[in-house]
Amino acid sequence: MQELKPERILFIVLDGLGDHACKELDGLTPLEKAYSNNVKKLKENGSQGLMDIISPGIPPSSDVSHLIMFGYDVENEYFGRGPIEALGEGVELKEGEIAFRGNLATVRFENNYPIVVDRRAGRITSEQTKELVEYLNSEIECPEGCKVVFKPLSEHRFVMIVSGEGLSHEVTDNDPHAEGKPILLCQPIDEAKDRKGAERLAKIVNEITIQAIDKLSKHELNKKRAESKLPQANSILVRSAGTMRKMKSFQEKWDLKAACVAAGLLYRGVAKAVGMDVYDVEGANGLLNTNIQGKTSKALELLKSYDFVYLHFKGTDVASHSKNPIAKCEFIRRFYESLNLIDDAVLNTVTIVITGDHTTPCDRGMHTGEPVPILIASKGLRNDATKFFSEREAVSGGLGRIRGKDIMPILLDSIERTVEYGTRPSPKKINYMPKSLEYLKLSI
Amino acid sequence: MQELKPERILFIVLDGLGDHACKELDGLTPLEKAYSNNVKKLKENGSQGLMDIISPGIPPSSDVSHLIMFGYDVENEYFGRGPIEALGEGVELKEGEIAFRGNLATVRFENNYPIVVDRRAGRITSEQTKELVEYLNSEIECPEGCKVVFKPLSEHRFVMIVSGEGLSHEVTDNDPHAEGKPILLCQPIDEAKDRKGAERLAKIVNEITIQAIDKLSKHELNKKRAESKLPQANSILVRSAGTMRKMKSFQEKWDLKAACVAAGLLYRGVAKAVGMDVYDVEGANGLLNTNIQGKTSKALELLKSYDFVYLHFKGTDVASHSKNPIAKCEFIRRFYESLNLIDDAVLNTVTIVITGDHTTPCDRGMHTGEPVPILIASKGLRNDATKFFSEREAVSGGLGRIRGKDIMPILLDSIERTVEYGTRPSPKKINYMPKSLEYLKLSI
């Protein structure tokens, strides 16, 4: 009997995959309507199912979802979104530093309360943001003997990094996430484990915000913007505090050399956080008109030197949030076209996964708790009898209904790196072989 | 794209739903045989599946089942059935009081052992029970400095309430639950956490039982009953000890204003325990000949002022216990008839659930550990490709096989109150928004 041993894994995430039946698509879902021969060859070599990343009815945020699918225990190994986004932006962080995402914003004052007028300060240019952020770095005195550094990003965006002893990132945003609302007081979250540390950080954030409003209001550039009738960048909004902690790398965890092809900064950040090498592709932009063919091609090329390639497309989620099932279907169709690059040699040696990180149905335009469809094509696994890859066919698929944490064991199993229960690194470690071999010697 | 946002939930429990194929029904289950166009319109707008309230093979008691489906953690939030039933009967209980369900019973004596002859004392009238129970209240001296109060209910039934310091409800019944058997010694359960408190309560129950037998045997009314050849009400049997603890209300837990339409006392008790408003319907009796149309109509009316309406029917379970699949099928058929009250306006704005609290197959006439079928019709959720609502079609349903604790997240998701992981009330609470908003104020 012919033996086929897949040795590598191509892990494709179509962000926000999974939808409802759409009138615009003749009662089909975008995934169903887009079905073509290019994916049929994968379906014929695989099994599909439905996956609850966490549990039925509960959608995860994208960062948490990816970490769970990559086999991480987010309860104990994840420390907040701020550093993930900063890493995605290419900001270097040191162990223990606390990172916030930040915006330069426009506020007006009402009884001494700063009210947010424009959360992005009229999408101020990157150059001006750089100038203002460097000014903040030179002017702001961080209280409590701690240190604050601002790093400019594109347009109105920056990262705020606070470091010092006895701080906890368990604090709320000062960003009200809406215009017309006052800036919020940063506070410890209700569930803070290190309340004292969180109180200390909250106090620092509030003092920095007050200083920043004072300093920015006086800056020459804002005076000029006011003269040109442009919204002043006279405040900072910060959000998503998290502590930089070195995570166990994907390679250490699974003994797989891993690469990432993604344009979206959050996804690049997750990949960097787990030590994947992140690659760029010309024309890849995390939008609907991204270079799909180029990305798939790059991923396949990387499979020559990596065991695990994570390929991420954001377009499906973008279309879903704009409630456009036709655009979503068209994006999937173009993605399927790029699967023409997958030939028999690839099918025979690579386990290929297509799934989503959460469901974003076009009629609701938001992340929902419904399970995502997942297709695993692998010569190493049993294939099922379903005909199409689709949310509704997946119900009867060979994978059944799995959880996000089940993926890595299934994929490792498909490439003969099966994690047996009773041995490394299962929860119940019973390894009957000693690590360093020594031999029994009789005394006679 | 058309937006449909269900905003309310109708949660229908057909008690003991789920059955086996029955010869009497041409090899169909009662649910399959009863299928009609009235439920077809729900099926077409929804997904079905199978649900293990706890886990495969383990049937829950009805009170526990409902609490789990309502999203309660019974391990930590539930304190025994006695108070639930007492609440259902309309008995008021104070925090910390221990309630038992009780029967007046007939015993004979054999070597000083009271042997149960009739567990219901010939279904003695409510009036006579009231007289005897008030007599017990005046005569019995509760030992250990504690207090005991008996409250009469219908026929032979009463509630026994014990209160005092250092008591634990972790005790066994004195009720042997069979005739011809001696009254049991009340004892701490093996798993009692507060053994000392349980020993103390057991001692009290045993002493009260001895006193009650003594006092009741001497009562004039029993002498008259003996003369009329009626079974004497010369003993008490108590069971299902539980401590009254205020539970977090359903509204506090889920921010949904909730009402209940149920006739069965246990179900009304569960609803009251979680703070639902409980409504009566004329002709509703918890039996096969209940006013089904009236109950469904009432539930739909309540949906105008409540976010969540729990509608319970007992008839299915009654038929199952009497091993009568034809009556069960007929009851479901009549329930389906009442669904003609559901029009498109309801379908568009209400998430409708039909399920059971446990499986009671007619051929076994008892609760079994088989999963219950569940149908969720909602414009907010993906629908599946199955044709009929049935135990066997549910295997291929879009909900897959879920647990009781999954229901509330799925229902909340369907009405856009999605519980995202990373926010309340997921295991990892990172809620970047403060619960009580406070605002940054400048000192200038």
Side-chain angles (χ1 to χ4, degrees):
Chain A
M1 190 169 174
Q2 193 192 3
E3 256 190 68
L4 290 166
K5 289 189 190 173
E7 289 169 353
R8 291 178 294 285
I9 296 162
L10 175 56
F11 190 84
I12 306 170
V13 175
L14 297 174
D15 206 293
L17 191 67
D19 216 300
H20 298 168
C22 300
K23 273 187 199 160
E24 296 87 333
L25 302 172
D26 313 318
L28 299 177
T29 70
L31 184 65
E32 287 168 349
K33 184 77 178 179
Y35 195 80
S36 76
N37 277 335
N38 281 334
V39 67
K40 190 173 172 221
K41 67 185 172 191
L42 267 62
K43 177 62 222 56
E44 281 168 356
N45 283 285
S47 272
Q48 63 181 318
L50 290 174
M51 174 166 65
D52 297 291
I53 303 292
I54 294 161
S55 61
I58 299 183
S61 59
S62 291
D63 47 346
V64 164
S65 175
H66 278 87
L67 287 171
I68 290 174
M69 292 193 288
F70 293 157
Y72 285 77
D73 168 13
V74 291
E75 287 290 316
N76 297 304
E77 296 186 273
Y78 179 59
F79 306 95
R81 184 154 172 161
I84 298 278
E85 302 224 22
L87 288 172
E89 297 274 12
V91 173
E92 296 286 327
L93 292 172
K94 292 200 197 79
E95 181 80 5
E97 287 182 338
I98 293 172
F100 294 78
R101 293 273 290 166
N103 282 8
L104 288 177
T106 308
V107 294
R108 65 180 167 82
F109 301 94
E110 207 175 290
N111 303 325
N112 285 348
Y113 288 106
I115 314 289
V116 177
V117 176
D118 184 332
R119 283 188 67 247
R120 296 172 186 85
R123 289 201 182 268
I124 184 171
T125 63
S126 306
E127 292 68 34
Q128 292 195 340
T129 294
K130 187 157 185 275
E131 184 180 344
L132 291 174
V133 154
E134 279 168 7
Y135 166 68
L136 289 177
N137 279 334
S138 67
E139 292 290 318
I140 285 188
E141 286 173 29
C142 189
E144 301 275 320
C146 293
K147 212 181 129 189
V148 64
V149 177
F150 296 85
K151 306 248 179 176
L153 302 175
S154 64
E155 297 182 307
H156 53 280
R157 302 180 189 91
F158 62 82
V159 173
M160 179 173 92
I161 303 163
V162 180
S163 52
E165 294 299 309
L167 298 176
S168 161
H169 70 259
E170 301 164 299
V171 299
T172 59
D173 302 346
N174 77 358
D175 185 345
H177 295 270
E179 284 155 7
K181 297 272 171 74
I183 291 184
L184 301 174
L185 206 63
C186 178
Q187 301 174 49
I189 58 170
D190 285 348
E191 309 77 12
K193 282 176 194 162
D194 176 6
R195 176 155 295 271
K196 227 170 141 182
E199 277 169 2
R200 192 150 179 251
L201 179 60
K203 191 177 165 198
I204 291 171
V205 171
N206 292 325
E207 289 194 23
I208 289 173
T209 308
I210 290 169
Q211 283 187 44
I213 292 172
D214 177 50
K215 298 291 178 192
L216 289 170
S217 302
K218 293 174 183 157
H219 195 278
E220 198 60 30
L221 202 149
N222 269 324
K223 286 180 193 156
K224 282 187 201 153
R225 286 179 68 88
E227 282 161 18
S228 321
K229 308 273 184 213
L230 287 171
Q232 294 185 49
N234 59 358
S235 181
I236 58 169
L237 299 178
V238 295
R239 62 184 190 273
S240 312
T243 304
M244 177 65 194
R245 292 262 176 259
K246 201 170 155 45
M247 298 175 85
K248 199 175 201 180
S249 78
F250 190 82
Q251 178 149 16
E252 273 179 281
K253 219 183 228 306
W254 303 117
D255 195 18
L256 296 172
K257 196 179 163 200
C260 160
V261 178
L265 295 173
L266 181 64
Y267 315 97
R268 294 168 71 92
V270 171
K272 281 182 188 168
V274 301
M276 294 184 184
D277 294 332
V278 178
Y279 287 85
D280 298 314
V281 171
E282 212 181 305
N285 57 12
L287 299 172
L288 280 164
N289 65 351
T290 193
N291 179 1
I292 297 180
Q293 199 81 13
K295 286 176 81 172
T296 303
S297 168
K298 182 73 181 177
L300 289 169
E301 178 199 322
L302 289 169
L303 279 168
K304 290 174 189 151
S305 42
Y306 288 89
D307 303 308
F308 184 99
V309 176
Y310 157 47
L311 172 60
H312 178 270
F313 293 99
K314 184 71 178 166
T316 29
D317 198 50
V318 172
S320 300
H321 281 288
S322 29
K323 302 192 173 186
N324 189 338
I326 293 167
K328 188 171 183 178
C329 173
E330 177 60 17
F331 190 88
I332 300 172
R333 203 188 53 69
R334 284 175 50 226
F335 160 69
Y336 280 170
E337 264 173 29
S338 80
L339 297 180
N340 63 2
L341 297 168
I342 293 180
D343 56 19
D344 280 355
V346 174
L347 273 179
N348 286 341
T349 55
V350 180
T351 292
I352 303 168
V353 183
I354 303 176
T355 190
D357 53 347
H358 49 71
T359 291
T360 315
C362 288
D363 52 356
R364 290 177 62 184
M366 58 179 276
H367 300 185
T368 72
E370 295 165 283
V372 293
I374 175 168
L375 171 64
I376 304 183
S378 174
K379 292 287 186 186
L381 298 176
R382 189 187 299 150
N383 52 18
D384 68 26
T386 58
K387 298 290 177 213
F388 310 101
F389 178 40
S390 115
E391 293 88 343
R392 291 184 282 193
E393 279 274 289
V395 170
S396 322
L399 291 177
R401 187 155 177 172
I402 60 173
R403 298 279 161 107
K405 65 179 178 179
D406 297 329
I407 287 191
M408 283 309 302
I410 293 173
L411 298 185
L412 288 163
D413 188 41
S414 78
I415 58 166
E416 300 208 353
R417 297 213 192 160
T418 308
V419 181
E420 279 190 46
Y421 191 83
T423 57
R424 174 191 68 92
S426 86
K428 189 147 192 145
K429 285 193 187 181
I430 308 173
N431 188 350
Y432 293 109
M433 289 298 284
K435 272 188 191 166
S436 58
L437 299 183
E438 289 184 46
Y439 304 104
L440 185 77
K441 190 175 179 179
L442 302 180
S443 57
I444 38 160
Chain B
M1 189 162 177
Q2 193 192 6
E3 254 190 71
L4 289 166
K5 287 190 190 174
E7 290 169 353
R8 292 179 293 285
I9 297 162
L10 174 58
F11 191 84
I12 306 170
V13 175
L14 297 173
D15 206 293
L17 191 67
D19 215 301
H20 299 167
C22 300
K23 271 186 201 162
E24 297 90 330
L25 302 171
D26 313 320
L28 299 177
T29 69
L31 184 65
E32 287 167 349
K33 185 77 178 179
Y35 195 80
S36 76
N37 276 336
N38 281 335
V39 67
K40 189 173 171 222
K41 68 185 171 190
L42 268 63
K43 177 62 221 57
E44 280 169 359
N45 284 285
S47 273
Q48 63 180 318
L50 290 175
M51 173 166 65
D52 298 290
I53 304 290
I54 295 163
S55 60
I58 300 184
S61 61
S62 291
D63 47 346
V64 164
S65 174
H66 278 86
L67 287 171
I68 290 174
M69 292 193 288
F70 293 157
Y72 285 77
D73 168 13
V74 291
E75 288 289 317
N76 296 305
E77 297 187 273
Y78 179 60
F79 305 96
R81 182 153 172 164
I84 299 277
E85 301 225 22
L87 288 172
E89 297 274 10
V91 173
E92 296 285 327
L93 292 172
K94 292 199 195 82
E95 181 80 7
E97 286 182 338
I98 293 172
F100 294 79
R101 294 272 290 165
N103 281 9
L104 287 178
T106 308
V107 294
R108 64 180 168 80
F109 299 93
E110 206 176 291
N111 303 325
N112 286 347
Y113 288 107
I115 313 291
V116 177
V117 176
D118 184 332
R119 283 187 68 247
R120 297 173 186 85
R123 288 201 182 266
I124 183 171
T125 64
S126 304
E127 293 67 35
Q128 293 195 340
T129 294
K130 187 159 186 272
E131 184 179 344
L132 292 174
V133 154
E134 279 168 8
Y135 166 69
L136 290 177
N137 278 334
S138 67
E139 291 291 318
I140 286 188
E141 286 174 29
C142 189
E144 301 275 320
C146 293
K147 211 181 130 190
V148 64
V149 177
F150 296 85
K151 305 247 179 176
L153 302 175
S154 64
E155 297 183 309
H156 53 279
R157 302 180 189 92
F158 62 83
V159 173
M160 179 174 90
I161 303 162
V162 180
S163 53
E165 294 300 309
L167 298 176
S168 162
H169 71 259
E170 302 164 298
V171 299
T172 58
D173 303 344
N174 77 357
D175 185 345
H177 294 274
E179 284 154 6
K181 296 271 170 74
I183 290 183
L184 301 174
L185 206 62
C186 177
Q187 300 176 51
I189 59 170
D190 284 349
E191 310 77 14
K193 282 175 194 161
D194 175 5
R195 176 156 295 271
K196 227 170 141 181
E199 276 168 1
R200 191 150 181 252
L201 179 60
K203 192 177 163 199
I204 290 172
V205 170
N206 292 325
E207 289 194 24
I208 289 173
T209 308
I210 291 168
Q211 282 186 46
I213 292 172
D214 177 49
K215 299 290 179 190
L216 289 171
S217 302
K218 293 174 185 161
H219 195 279
E220 198 60 29
L221 201 150
N222 269 323
K223 286 181 192 156
K224 281 186 202 155
R225 285 179 71 88
E227 283 163 17
S228 319
K229 308 276 185 209
L230 287 170
Q232 293 185 48
N234 59 358
S235 182
I236 59 170
L237 298 177
V238 295
R239 61 184 191 274
S240 312
T243 304
M244 178 64 193
R245 292 263 177 257
K246 201 171 156 42
M247 298 175 83
K248 199 174 200 181
S249 78
F250 190 82
Q251 178 150 16
E252 272 180 281
K253 219 182 229 306
W254 303 116
D255 194 19
L256 297 173
K257 194 180 165 201
C260 160
V261 177
L265 296 174
L266 180 64
Y267 314 97
R268 292 167 72 92
V270 171
K272 282 182 189 169
V274 301
M276 293 183 184
D277 294 332
V278 178
Y279 287 85
D280 298 314
V281 171
E282 212 181 306
N285 58 11
L287 300 172
L288 281 164
N289 65 351
T290 192
N291 178 2
I292 296 181
Q293 199 82 10
K295 286 175 82 172
T296 302
S297 168
K298 183 73 182 176
L300 290 170
E301 178 199 320
L302 289 169
L303 279 168
K304 291 175 188 149
S305 42
Y306 287 88
D307 304 308
F308 185 100
V309 176
Y310 157 46
L311 171 60
H312 178 269
F313 293 99
K314 184 71 178 166
T316 29
D317 199 49
V318 172
S320 300
H321 281 290
S322 27
K323 301 191 172 186
N324 188 340
I326 292 167
K328 189 172 183 178
C329 173
E330 177 60 17
F331 190 87
I332 300 171
R333 202 188 55 68
R334 283 176 50 226
F335 160 69
Y336 279 169
E337 264 172 30
S338 80
L339 298 180
N340 63 1
L341 297 168
I342 293 179
D343 57 18
D344 280 355
V346 174
L347 273 179
N348 286 342
T349 55
V350 180
T351 292
I352 302 169
V353 183
I354 302 176
T355 189
D357 54 346
H358 49 71
T359 291
T360 315
C362 289
D363 53 356
R364 290 177 62 185
M366 57 179 277
H367 301 184
T368 71
E370 295 164 284
V372 293
I374 175 167
L375 171 64
I376 304 183
S378 174
K379 292 286 185 186
L381 298 176
R382 191 184 294 155
N383 51 19
D384 68 25
T386 58
K387 297 292 176 210
F388 309 101
F389 178 40
S390 113
E391 293 89 342
R392 291 182 282 193
E393 279 273 289
V395 171
S396 324
L399 291 178
R401 187 153 174 170
I402 60 174
R403 298 280 162 106
K405 66 179 178 181
D406 297 327
I407 285 191
M408 283 309 301
I410 293 173
L411 297 185
L412 288 163
D413 187 43
S414 78
I415 58 166
E416 300 211 351
R417 297 213 191 160
T418 308
V419 181
E420 278 192 45
Y421 191 82
T423 58
R424 174 187 70 92
S426 84
K428 181 136 196 157
K429 290 186 180 184
I430 307 174
N431 189 350
Y432 291 112
M433 290 297 282
K435 272 189 190 160
S436 59
L437 298 183
E438 288 186 47
Y439 305 109
L440 185 81
K441 189 169 184 179
L442 306 177
S443 55
I444 35 153

